[in-house]
């Protein structure tokens, strides 16, 4: 694979990807790309910003690989769409695993981005087009299918399957031997103890605010 990489976008996600690849990988980011109608600047981090529609004319597939760190918008469908469009153009995708993540013999797909302090136990599988933000736990013999987004401090216990295009919010927990259906939205702080159906949404109530000032509380 090429060590030259083109990233997607000019926003915070692109900036995060640029930081990690520049400071913690062997890859050289040579440009950013996005849909032509959304381009508002010629350069980003002193690299050219090019139209995705024209990418193969400027950086053909044999010269660069891609990395699309796109958010969970539309249950990860936007990232999935752009990933598949680029594949049709003949591009390959890199995957990034932070040097500060712990993993063993895990099978990791392409265009998967794993940040620092993820603990990924043996005999696990992570599909294509997956984002794992910082500080998660993926238990042994578990599978994360394609196009998922796992936010920070998520606990996925052993022998669990996370269905494709699912989103797991900050501090959510999935017990062992559970199967999460595809396109599940698991909200922040949610605990899942049994199998879910496709397209399920789980959330918890907000923390209750008491009608006192903090200075009036005698015991903490």
């Amino acid at each position: 694979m090429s060590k030259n990489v083109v990233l997607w976008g000019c926003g915070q996600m692109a900036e995060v990807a640029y930081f990690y690849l520049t400071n913690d990988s062997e890859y050289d980011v040579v440009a950013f790309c996005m849909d032509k109608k959304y381009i508002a600047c010629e350069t980003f981090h002193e690299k050219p910003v090019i139209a995705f529609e024209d990418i193969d004319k400027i950086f053909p597939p044999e010269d660069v690989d891609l990395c699309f760190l796109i958010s969970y918008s539309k249950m990860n469908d936007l990232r999935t769409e752009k990933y598949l469009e680029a594949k049709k153009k003949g591009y390959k995708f890199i995957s990034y695993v932070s040097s500060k993540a712990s993993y063993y013999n895990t099978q990791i797909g392409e265009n998967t981005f794993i940040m620092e302090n993820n603990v990924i136990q043996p005999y696990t599988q992570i599909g294509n087009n997956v984002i794992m933000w910082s500080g998660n736990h993926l238990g042994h013999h578990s599978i994360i299918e394609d196009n998922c987004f796992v936010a920070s401090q998520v606990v996925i216990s052993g022998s669990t399957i996370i269905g494709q295009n699912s989103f797991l919010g900050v501090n959510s927990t999935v017990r062992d031997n559970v199967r999460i259906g595809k396109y599940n939205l698991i909200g922040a702080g949610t605990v899942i103890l049994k199998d879910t159906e496709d397209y399920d949404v789980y959330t918890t109530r907000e923390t209750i605010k008491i009608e006192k000032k903090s200075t009036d509380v005698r015991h903490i």
Side-chain angles (χ1 to χ4, degrees), residues 61-123:
E62 60 268 23
D63 292 345
V64 299
D65 293 320
L66 305 181
C67 180
F68 286 1
L69 189 67
I70 302 174
S71 77
Y72 45 83
S73 178
K74 298 181 180 178
M75 290 302 297
N76 303 293
D77 271 347
L78 178 59
R79 188 170 72 259
T80 304
E81 175 188 332
K82 296 305 175 184
Y83 167 73
L84 294 176
E85 284 182 21
K87 293 290 290 181
K88 288 181 180 179
K89 290 176 179 283
Y91 285 93
K92 295 179 181 178
F93 282 80
I94 69 163
S95 282
Y96 166 79
V97 180
S98 169
S99 63
K100 297 179 176 63
S102 298
Y103 76 107
Y104 302 93
N105 59 343
T106 300
Q107 299 179 38
I108 297 175
E110 62 177 5
N111 200 46
T112 287
F113 210 94
I114 300 173
M115 298 184 187
E116 71 275 12
N117 299 326
N118 276 279
V119 176
I120 301 169
Q121 292 189 327
Y123 308 109

Side-chain angles (χ1 to χ4, degrees), residues 7-203:
L7 300 181
W8 180 272
C10 294
Q12 291 184 355
M13 297 288 282
E15 197 161 43
V16 166
Y18 177 79
F19 178 88
Y20 281 104
L21 293 182
T22 301
N23 291 281
D24 187 39
S25 84
E26 61 183 354
Y27 297 109
D28 182 21
V29 177
V30 295
F32 297 84
C33 71
M34 57 193 306
D35 291 334
K36 185 180 298 184
K37 62 183 178 181
Y38 296 118
I39 294 178
C41 57
E42 294 184 355
T43 62
F44 188 63
H45 282 278
E46 300 180 347
K47 307 292 183 179
V49 178
I50 62 174
F52 179 59
E53 295 88 335
D54 302 327
I55 186 173
D56 50 342
K57 301 173 185 176
I58 304 170
F59 292 104
E62 60 268 23
D63 292 345
V64 299
D65 293 320
L66 305 181
C67 180
F68 286 1
L69 189 67
I70 302 174
S71 77
Y72 45 83
S73 178
K74 298 181 180 178
M75 290 302 297
N76 303 293
D77 271 347
L78 178 59
R79 188 170 72 259
T80 304
E81 175 188 332
K82 296 305 175 184
Y83 167 73
L84 294 176
E85 284 182 21
K87 293 290 290 181
K88 288 181 180 179
K89 290 176 179 283
Y91 285 93
K92 295 179 181 178
F93 282 80
I94 69 163
S95 282
Y96 166 79
V97 180
S98 169
S99 63
K100 297 179 176 63
S102 298
Y103 76 107
Y104 302 93
N105 59 343
T106 300
Q107 299 179 38
I108 297 175
E110 62 177 5
N111 200 46
T112 287
F113 210 94
I114 300 173
M115 298 184 187
E116 71 275 12
N117 299 326
N118 276 279
V119 176
I120 301 169
Q121 292 189 327
Y123 308 109
T124 48
Q125 298 177 41
I126 301 173
N128 299 319
N129 209 29
V130 172
I131 296 174
M132 296 183 70
W133 220 258
S134 57
N136 301 297
H137 171 89
L138 180 62
H140 61 90
H141 296 90
S142 290
I143 298 172
I144 299 178
E145 295 183 348
D146 294 347
N147 315 319
C148 290
F149 192 110
V150 182
S152 295
Q153 307 302 323
V154 173
V155 175
I156 300 170
S157 302
S159 300
T160 292
I161 298 175
I162 307 299
Q164 68 182 60
N165 286 79
S166 289
F167 171 85
L168 280 69
V170 172
N171 282 323
S172 57
T173 300
V174 183
R175 70 161 294 171
D176 59 293
N177 294 286
V178 165
R179 182 181 183 99
I180 301 297
K182 67 181 182 181
Y183 282 88
N184 267 215
L185 173 53
I186 310 297
T190 302
V191 177
I192 303 297
L193 301 178
K194 60 182 180 180
D195 293 357
T196 69
E197 302 293 331
D198 294 347
Y199 300 96
D200 276 355
V201 177
Y202 290 86
T203 186

Side-chain angles (χ1 to χ4, degrees), residues 209-220:
K209 175 186 174 183
I210 64 174
E211 296 305 318
K212 286 186 179 181
K213 293 182 179 179
S214 59
T215 50
D216 294 334
V217 178
R218 294 185 178 183
H219 300 288
I220 298 178

